[in-house]
């Protein structure tokens, strides 16, 4: 079969990625080698796996390896593997197109702010395209393991917008990526330089990486293996240094920053497996941007053979930031993704992964506060998803959460539920909190006033996910969590009496307000929450916080109109003015403003902002 030679244009997005990559990765340009070796290693992994069902694929050339060579005259660096290779269609699909929706979102995120952050790109794992940081032309020659010898494919591009494709008659199995170096990149034509990069970044790639031996400054035909070429996770922990762990982490791809922490364990028994799990030090770009459909980064091996990327099968969603390797001894090698999802052994392994990760985070919280803070900043909100997703570990996860508090350190989210409970007076039964849009809005909530006056600590929650999370966290360590803006406040006998008297006294006022406000409120009550402000909203236990309702409405969701309960402070001068104002229209303005300021403080949306402004101006001008 002969396919014609042709020239094609990159998808617009590829051109964009190429542009971003070449401009922003410049200070990290040496990572191209790691990315290409990582791809070569993936290709060898895939061939090894496919050969189990189909041994012919690797017949005649079964030593899988990766060769890195340089040619000082041609000014090229070549990374070659004898792995799975690519068909013509795969070349087009994998390196001419951007298939992943994650990449599209990434581009959308980047295009707003032209400043492409190199770290961001690193987390996004731009892979193959990093070749263009050092090369002004890249040639790929590849043949898929199951294709005939004359069905090789040659792809070439200067990375500017087009690439050429042609068939090659005699290609070896696997892929060679040939970089034609830019004029000022001669440093990569030196053996020691290439070699030190391999040692630094790719030592623990599980396949031999070979380089030609040098003589008289020139490469010879003799090759030597230059990496450890053993699967790192199979070695005893005592023989592995921190640098080894970090370099292996980076060779997994997806991140070129150091990992924050890791956990390496071997389980022996009726079912044996090894886990090596890493927590990154920064979130990947799409973690919160709904990065749910792409879960890469946890590789499943069975007896040292890579089987598949199985992040989804091995970790719950709320731990999707974890990277690493799971190597199981007792799973069948021909396991498919469908079978894997029903596999009972896998449930055990998954349980062990979750336990290890939570252990690791707990250890950070206990012993390494700075690292824990880094972790929490990056992944705290992701972890919160576990409160509803993982009921079995709810208490453990809740223990790890940190919040701002009226007795904390400003907006810093550092107060644990256990800290709170430790400070609770004996008589206090509940853990009090408030949710709002921001720290300032939470701290300024009028509903806090009575708590402040009494010196009762209140947790201040202002991350978007909090309100949702709290739906699944009604209790911790036997204590109820209660929103200060919801339901009835527990009052002691004296306060209850005062409250009853105040309500009785205010009866005509309450009636007047209800009449003036009509349909806009459900009820008007005397508040036990207020000391300084004239009014606030109170919600029933099941009502959604107004700021959240607003957000959901803005996001296009239909929200039922709810009629809030307005609580007032009869001692406040403004409330007194409503009481004494004889002019019906003026009293109506004042009453409505009492409601509207309560709504604004709660982050609700005013139904008619222009009317509010006019009303306020009328009152100001008397
Ligand atoms: P990633 O490795 O994260 O998938 P890359 O940009 O590094 O992204 O590679 C894109 C795709 O190109 C790979 O997923 C793979 O399908 C293909 N590819 C790249 N290099 C090779 C190779 N040496 N052998 C086979 N396929 C490759
Ligand atoms: Mg890659």
């Amino acid at each position: 079969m002969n396919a014609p030679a042709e020239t094609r244009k990159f998808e617009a997005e590829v051109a964009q990625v190429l542009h971003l990559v070449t401009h922003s990765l410049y200070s990290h340009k040496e990572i191209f080698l790691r990315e290409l070796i990582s791809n070569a290693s993936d290709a060898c992994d895939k061939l090894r796996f496919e050969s189990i069902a189909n041994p012919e694929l690797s017949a005649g050339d079964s030593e899988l390896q990766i060769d890195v060579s340089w040619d000082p005259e041609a000014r090229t660096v070549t990374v070659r593997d004898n792995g799975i290779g690519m068909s013509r269609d795969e070349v087009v699909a994998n390196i001419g197109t951007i298939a992943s929706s994650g990449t599209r979102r990434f581009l959308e995120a980047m295009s707003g702010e032209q400043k492409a952050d190199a770290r961001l790109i690193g987390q996004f794992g731009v892979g193959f395209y990093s070749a263009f940081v050092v090369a002004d032309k890249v040639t790929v020659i590849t043949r898929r393991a199951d294709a005939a010898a004359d069905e090789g494919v040659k792809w070439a591009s200067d990375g500017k917008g087009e690439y050429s494709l042609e068939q090659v008659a005699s290609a070896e199995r696997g892929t060679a990526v040939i970089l034609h170096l830019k004029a000022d990149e001669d440093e990569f034509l030196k053996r020691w330089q290439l070699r030190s990069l391999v040692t630094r970044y790719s030592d623990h790639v599980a396949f031999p990486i070979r380089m030609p031996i040098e003589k008289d400054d020139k490469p010879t035909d003799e090759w030597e293996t230059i990496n450890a070429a053993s699967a790192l996770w199979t070695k005893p922990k005592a023989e592995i240094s921190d640098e080894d762990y970090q370099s292996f982490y980076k060779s997994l791809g997806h991140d070129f920053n150091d990992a924050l922490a890791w956990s390496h364990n071997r389980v022996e028994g009726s079912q044996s497996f090894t886990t090596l799990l890493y927590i990154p030090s920064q979130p990947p770009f799409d973690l919160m941007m709904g990065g749910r459909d792409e879960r890469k980064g946890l590789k499943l091996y069975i007896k040292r053979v890579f089987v598949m990327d199985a992040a989804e099968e091995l970790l719950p969603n709320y731990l999707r930031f974890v990277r690493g390797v799971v190597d199981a001894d007792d799973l069948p090698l021909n396991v498919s993704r469908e079978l894997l999802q029903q596999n009972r052994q896998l449930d055990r392994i998954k349980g062990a992964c979750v336990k290890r990760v939570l252990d690791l985070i707990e250890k950070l919280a206990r012993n390494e506060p700075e690292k824990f803070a880094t972790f929490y900043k990056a992944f705290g909100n992701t972890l919160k998803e576990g409160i509803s997703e993982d009921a079995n570990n709810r208490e453990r996860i809740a223990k790890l959460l940190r919040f701002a508090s009226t007795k904390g350190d400003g907006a810093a989210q550092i107060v644990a539920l256990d800290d709170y409970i430790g400070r609770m007076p004996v008589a206090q039964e509940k853990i009090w909190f408030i949710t709002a849009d921001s720290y300032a809005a939470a701290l300024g909530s009028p509903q806090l006033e009575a708590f402040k006056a009494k010196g009762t600590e209140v947790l201040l929650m202002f991350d978007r996910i909090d309100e949702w999370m709290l739906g699944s966290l009604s209790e911790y360590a036997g204590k109820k969590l209660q929103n200060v803006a919801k339901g009835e406040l527990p009052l002691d006998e004296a306060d209850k009496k005062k409250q009853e008297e105040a309500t009785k006294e205010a009866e005509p006022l309450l009636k007047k307000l209800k009449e003036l406000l009509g349909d806009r409120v459900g009820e008007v009550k005397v508040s036990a929450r207020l000391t300084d402000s004239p009014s606030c909203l109170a919600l029933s236990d099941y009502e959604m916080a107004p700021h959240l309702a607003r957000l959901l409405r803005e996001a296009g969701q239909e929200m039922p109109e709810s009629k809030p309960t307005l609580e007032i402070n009869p001692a406040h001068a403004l409330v007194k003015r409503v009481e004494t104002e004889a002019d019906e229209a003026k009293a109506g303005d004042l009453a409505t403003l009492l409601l509207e300021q309560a709504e604004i403080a709660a982050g609700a949306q005013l139904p008619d902002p222009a009317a509010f402004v006019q009303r306020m101006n009328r009152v100001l001008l008397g």
Side-chain angles (χ1 to χ4, degrees), residues 373-578:
T374 304
F375 162 79
Y376 200 76
K377 188 162 166 269
F379 304 114
N381 282 337
T382 317
L383 188 68
K384 285 175 186 171
E385 294 173 20
I387 294 288
S388 74
E389 192 185 347
D390 188 354
N392 291 331
N393 286 305
R394 184 171 295 151
E395 192 95 358
R396 279 189 86 178
I397 298 167
K399 209 181 187 58
L400 291 166
L401 301 182
R402 300 290 184 267
F403 303 102
S405 148
T406 50
K407 295 202 176 154
D409 179 11
Q413 292 171 306
I414 50 173
V415 176
L417 293 171
D418 289 326
D419 300 334
Y420 183 101
I421 291 173
R423 290 195 281 259
M424 261 162 84
V426 190
Q428 187 181 332
E429 286 172 359
K430 294 180 172 174
I431 300 172
W432 294 100
F433 66 86
I434 186 149
T435 62
D437 258 356
S438 65
Y439 169 70
L443 187 67
S445 302
Q447 289 92 339
L448 286 186
E449 290 170 1
F451 290 84
K452 283 185 190 154
K454 281 211 155 68
T456 305
E457 178 168 13
V458 178
L459 298 175
L460 306 170
M461 305 192 185
F462 45 85
D463 284 320
R464 274 188 189 196
I465 190 175
D466 290 339
E467 180 78 17
W468 177 78
M469 167 192 78
L470 287 156
S472 308
L473 187 67
S474 52
E475 242 185 74
Y476 174 77
K479 307 265 186 280
K480 281 223 157 9
L481 274 83
Q482 170 82 40
N483 189 329
V484 298
K486 285 188 178 178
E488 300 282 340
L489 292 193
L491 300 173
D492 59 26
E493 281 309 312
D495 283 344
K496 205 181 265 168
K497 200 134 181 250
K498 252 201 263 164
Q499 171 80 0
E500 276 163 13
E501 274 163 19
T503 301
K504 206 154 175 207
E505 209 171 297
E507 234 165 60
L509 170 64
L510 295 176
K511 205 167 147 236
K512 184 173 182 181
L513 281 168
K514 177 70 183 110
E515 273 166 20
L516 289 168
L517 292 170
D519 263 1
R520 281 189 67 179
V521 292
E523 229 184 312
V524 184
K525 285 173 148 180
V526 170
S527 184
R529 293 171 230 264
L530 299 171
T531 60
D532 302 331
S533 300
S535 61
C536 69
L537 296 186
L539 305 173
S540 74
D541 281 333
Y542 305 101
E543 241 168 318
M544 185 182 291
H547 69 95
L548 188 69
R550 191 197 67 223
L551 285 176
L552 291 176
R553 217 172 270 135
E554 282 165 5
Q557 281 203 35
E558 290 270 351
M559 302 295 300
E561 283 299 328
S562 74
K563 284 196 191 153
T565 297
L566 180 67
E567 292 194 348
I568 52 144
N569 173 4
H572 196 279
L574 204 57
V575 178
K576 290 205 161 112
R577 261 179 66 189
V578 183

Side-chain angles (χ1 to χ4, degrees), residues 35-36 38-39 42 125-128 253 296:
E35 293 294 334
L36 296 181
S38 161
N39 286 350
D42 289 349
V126 64
F128 175 79
K296 271 195 171 181

Side-chain angles (χ1 to χ4, degrees), residues 8 10 12 41 76 83 109 111 151 167 208 238 240 265 394 400 444 453 535 547 556 573 579 603 619:
R8 295 198 190 190
F10 282 121
S41 168
T76 57
S111 54
E151 285 184 14
Q167 189 166 349
I240 309 177
N265 296 281
R394 184 171 295 151
L400 291 166
S535 61
H547 69 95
E579 200 170 10
V619 170

Side-chain angles (χ1 to χ4, degrees), residues 22 30 73 87 102 156 170 210 256 316 335 366 458 467 528 585 620:
T22 44
E30 75 283 356
E73 259 114 63
S87 67
S170 65
R210 307 189 313 167
F256 61 66
V335 73
R366 243 189 342 263
V458 178
E467 180 78 17
L620 286 173

